[in-house]
Amino acid sequence: MSALMFWLMCYIVCLVIPAFTTQSTSSSGWSGQPSARSPAVGNTTVMPPPSSASRGTNLFNTSYNLTYIDDPKTWIKALQHCRDRHKTLVHIVNSTVQEYITQMLQGKIYPNGVWIGLERNMLFPCAPWMWTGGPYVNYSEWNSSFPVDPTSQYCGKLVGNGSKWLDSYCSEELPFICQD
């Protein structure tokens, strides 16, 4: 395939795929219902920050079971770990969830970042980012350095104080966050 054909296909995908992003956030596991399972060792039940109560969304009336795993793995192995024991790598679908994650990561040390459930199609580098098994990214908190390498970094991580997202090589070994 010629380079021109490749980029033409990529352009078409970038125009067409966003039109099919009508999935609701409930498909990502953040339906507003806490997990029915009892929290296991290592789980953190993250409650909303007190200042958030005035925003008036039903997400503030619940808590979410998030698990920070301080056992560095590649993105694929982290995803498999989460699927085997929880549900998936965390989906940050709105500012509320972002606040929960930032709060949860306070005091933790992760110099190279923390895996989250962000992924991008390897065949079409210009394709939009999406959450594992679920909706395309509508809400985002990309780092000012994004994208670092749009042609070869297909997995997403949190950096800094846990409040910004960045693309990364999927083979990097990082701690990660699972959601139930």
Side-chain angles (χ1 to χ4, degrees):
M1 174 185 320
S2 72
L4 179 60
M5 272 307 267
F6 172 79
W7 289 111
L8 180 60
M9 284 178 32
C10 193
Y11 177 74
I12 291 169
V13 167
C14 289
L15 289 177
V16 173
I17 288 180
F20 296 102
T21 61
T22 59
Q23 295 174 334
S24 71
T25 56
S26 64
S27 67
S28 69
W30 293 100
S31 63
Q33 298 299 319
S35 172
R37 289 185 351 179
S38 298
V41 174
N43 276 17
T44 302
T45 300
V46 183
M47 299 302 290
S51 63
S52 301
S54 63
R55 294 194 188 150
T57 173
N58 65 352
L59 290 173
F60 292 110
N61 297 327
T62 65
S63 61
Y64 301 101
N65 287 322
L66 305 175
T67 306
Y68 174 79
I69 310 292
D70 193 11
D71 179 19
K73 297 185 183 304
T74 65
W75 189 90
I76 296 293
K77 288 183 180 179
L79 177 62
Q80 189 61 52
H81 177 95
C82 291
R83 286 186 172 165
D84 289 347
R85 294 166 182 83
H86 305 280
K87 183 174 182 177
T88 191
L89 283 167
V90 68
H91 296 180
I92 305 173
V93 296
N94 57 42
S95 61
T96 302
V97 180
Q98 182 71 55
E99 287 179 43
Y100 289 169
I101 300 296
T102 302
Q103 178 186 19
M104 185 178 94
L105 291 174
Q106 287 180 353
K108 298 195 176 3
I109 299 172
Y110 48 95
N112 297 317
V114 175
W115 287 131
I116 56 178
L118 275 174
E119 63 181 330
R120 188 166 47 101
N121 189 314
M122 295 174 78
L123 296 176
F124 301 103
C126 64
W129 285 84
M130 65 182 296
W131 296 108
T132 53
Y136 288 97
V137 172
N138 291 321
Y139 166 83
S140 64
E141 287 292 338
W142 294 108
N143 185 288
S144 61
S145 301
F146 174 81
V148 174
D149 185 354
T151 60
S152 61
Q153 294 187 348
Y154 303 100
C155 295
K157 65 181 180 179
L158 289 172
V159 294
N161 64 359
S163 65
K164 295 297 178 187
W165 311 351
L166 199 56
D167 56 326
S168 185
Y169 294 108
C170 301
S171 60
E172 189 174 2
E173 293 189 355
L174 300 173
F176 51 99
I177 301 170
C178 298
Q179 74 181 42
D180 289 333

